[in-house]
Amino acid sequence: MSFLSETLARVKPSPTIAVSNLAAELKAAGRDVIGLSAGEPDFDTPEHIRAAGIAAINEGHTRYTAVDGIPDLKAAICAKFKRDNGLDYTPKQVTVGTGGKQVLYNALMATLNKEDEVIIPAPYWVSYPDMVLLAGGTPVFIEAQLENDFKITPDQLEAAITRNTKWFLFNSPSNPTGAGYSRDELKALTDVLLRHPHVWVLSDDMYEHLAYDGFRFCTPAEVEPQLYDRTLTVNGVSKAYAMTGWRIGYAAGPEPLIAAIRKVQSQSTSNPCSVSQKAAVAALNGPQDFLAPNNEMFVRRRNLVVDMLSAIEGITCPVPDGAFYVYPSIAGLIGKKTPEGVEISSDEVFATELLNDCGVAVVFGAAFGLSPNFRISYATSDELLQEACSRIQAFCAKLS
Ligand SMILES: Cc1ncc(COP(=O)(O)O)c(C=O)c1O
């Protein structure tokens, strides 16, 4: 019998972290590698947020805190939901965790039983299925096709719901595609959910502020107020505020669910980092004016990458509405061979050959549940993106 748990045997380590680690190892060994796999901004946490963290240390905020968040952070989160989403929550309806990742994990741990199913549109953020499996549930996938801009249809959602469906896990703008659902598209999905009162909504709004070309972000509890009592709205400071290392995420929803999440957290991490919570208060309550120029920069980078990849025969690269990823299809390259005779039989082979041949690290589509594609994170400098895309162009030109 294995020493390790059977539950752990059901899951795999994060493929995006694995690719990032491999790229870092190759770099350390002297290879010229451009890593486009990490999902984090390349700039520093804004100065006023860093200052709040330093002040928190100097003022002695260095002890355990309330399990699911300090009162001033919960107040800032309630104000944020009101300001940005028109949603009313009290502090008792709010939980804070060590990143959005832990909040999602806590919610699944707190709610899933053996027979429970969680509907996940694919392509999905790599962690969703494995978190569901770790919590003892079963992920059920709906494939969102490139032809439908990587968005699922109401009919697909309707067909995926069973007696055992517990959650519908929704993410817009999406990691890995950057696709965003318009209010009408989301309303069509929430209309389906109204017909199935046993299904709850887990909305991952991590990329709310990274929305481009006039795309208007919206979230299920706001679009369909009748779902308010069965929606957990998850968000965080990692992406928009360049705070990935501080590890603060949060969620709001019905009080009994928040209490259950608190119970899980009280027996695992006790509380999110005291210093980071103070910094997150500064992020949410402070000036938001740096978001717009950051987004202009992301749009420029997105356009650069989309243009350069679209110029490659065999690659189709849709233009994303938000986040900082593109998810091009390599359907037109499948079956071709490298000069060394390696057949590009899958997106995994493509990503491996790309890394070996020209030192560009991307994540293969199978990791996100939709092939043959790959994901590029364009949260890096224009120069590196330009160089990386030139290398991808040269690599693809050699395939025959
Ligand atoms: C879709 C999505 N949700 C949640 C997270 C978790 O973010 P964090 O734990 O840093 O708050 C990420 C991070 O990559 C993400 O892409």
Side-chain angles (χ1 to χ4, degrees):
M1 208 170 58
S2 165
F3 179 68
L4 302 178
S5 83
E6 284 167 20
T7 307
L8 197 65
R10 301 174 75 195
V11 309
K12 57 182 181 335
S14 162
T16 41
I17 294 177
V19 174
S20 300
N21 287 349
L22 177 60
E25 270 171 33
L26 291 172
K27 244 184 190 164
R31 279 276 317 267
D32 169 20
V33 171
I34 304 177
L36 301 178
S37 53
E40 63 180 346
D42 61 325
F43 42 87
D44 289 332
T45 306
E47 210 277 325
H48 68 282
I49 301 175
R50 281 183 275 149
I54 293 165
I57 295 174
N58 290 334
E59 287 162 12
H61 296 290
T62 50
R63 300 174 193 276
Y64 293 130
T65 72
V67 168
D68 59 1
I70 55 177
D72 43 347
L73 180 51
K74 286 192 170 195
I77 291 165
C78 292
K80 174 260 172 289
F81 276 123
K82 185 72 187 162
R83 175 180 73 227
D84 297 341
N85 314 110
L87 290 170
D88 287 302
Y89 289 110
T90 64
K92 282 191 173 158
Q93 291 176 282
V94 169
T95 185
V96 184
T98 303
K101 198 171 202 171
Q102 193 199 13
V103 175
L104 290 163
Y105 185 71
N106 285 347
L108 295 168
M109 286 301 280
T111 55
L112 291 187
N113 293 312
K114 202 157 168 265
E115 305 294 315
D116 290 340
E117 297 172 358
V118 178
I119 295 178
I120 304 176
Y124 43 71
W125 179 41
V126 287
S127 294
Y128 295 150
D130 292 284
M131 282 188 190
V132 170
L133 290 167
L134 269 176
T138 304
V140 172
F141 303 112
I142 304 177
E143 276 202 4
Q145 299 300 331
L146 183 144
E147 296 70 35
N148 200 37
D149 299 327
F150 294 123
K151 291 180 241 186
I152 62 162
T153 64
D155 288 346
Q156 284 182 298
L157 178 58
E158 181 74 58
I161 294 173
T162 71
R163 281 172 35 234
N164 294 333
T165 307
K166 185 155 257 176
W167 289 105
F168 169 51
L169 212 171
F170 178 72
N171 176 221
S172 163
S174 140
N175 176 2
T177 63
Y181 287 74
S182 70
R183 182 170 277 266
D184 287 349
E185 287 165 341
L186 181 50
K187 183 74 177 67
L189 297 182
T190 58
D191 282 350
V192 173
L193 297 170
L194 286 180
R195 293 198 286 274
H196 300 276
H198 67 291
V199 180
W200 283 52
V201 187
L202 190 43
S203 184
D204 180 349
D205 297 356
M206 199 52 70
Y207 295 95
E208 167 177 16
H209 293 299
L210 299 158
Y212 318 127
D213 301 340
F215 171 73
R216 297 276 305 259
F217 170 85
C218 52
T219 192
E222 168 204 4
V223 166
E224 181 43 80
Q226 292 183 69
L227 290 178
Y228 177 87
D229 288 334
R230 49 181 167 117
T231 298
L232 186 70
T233 306
V234 181
N235 212 316
V237 292
S238 288
K239 312 289 175 171
Y241 301 95
M243 291 179 71
T244 47
W246 298 78
R247 310 304 306 127
I248 294 291
Y250 56 87
E255 249 186 81
L257 174 60
I258 296 298
I261 289 174
R262 186 184 313 126
K263 197 164 160 188
V264 175
Q265 186 147 292
S266 73
Q267 297 295 15
S268 53
T269 54
S270 289
N271 63 262
C273 168
S274 58
V275 174
S276 301
Q277 289 189 68
K278 283 288 184 188
V281 173
L284 295 178
N285 285 348
Q288 308 289 308
D289 50 357
F290 59 90
L291 294 173
N294 280 357
N295 282 0
E296 278 170 27
M297 180 187 65
F298 281 133
V299 168
R300 196 183 62 237
R301 292 171 173 182
R302 178 201 64 178
N303 293 347
L304 185 161
V305 172
V306 170
D307 289 349
M308 289 188 74
L309 294 182
S310 298
I312 300 173
E313 213 188 306
I315 289 190
T316 312
C317 188
V319 184
D321 304 298
F324 35 59
Y325 310 103
V326 292
Y327 198 65
S329 161
I330 56 158
L333 298 177
I334 295 294
K336 293 197 169 187
K337 289 197 171 136
T338 66
E340 294 75 34
V342 179
E343 185 184 330
I344 306 296
S345 53
S346 68
D347 48 35
E348 188 161 5
V349 174
F350 175 81
T352 306
E353 290 306 307
L354 191 66
L355 184 57
N356 288 341
D357 180 83
C358 59
V360 176
V362 300
V363 187
F364 56 96
F368 306 96
L370 190 82
S371 290
N373 293 66
F374 66 98
R375 190 194 75 173
I376 281 184
S377 165
Y378 56 82
T380 193
S381 73
D382 294 35
E383 294 71 35
L384 278 180
L385 290 171
Q386 177 99 36
E387 171 63 20
C389 290
S390 299
R391 290 189 197 182
I392 297 174
Q393 286 180 342
F395 171 74
C396 293
K398 287 192 288 188
L399 302 176
S400 56

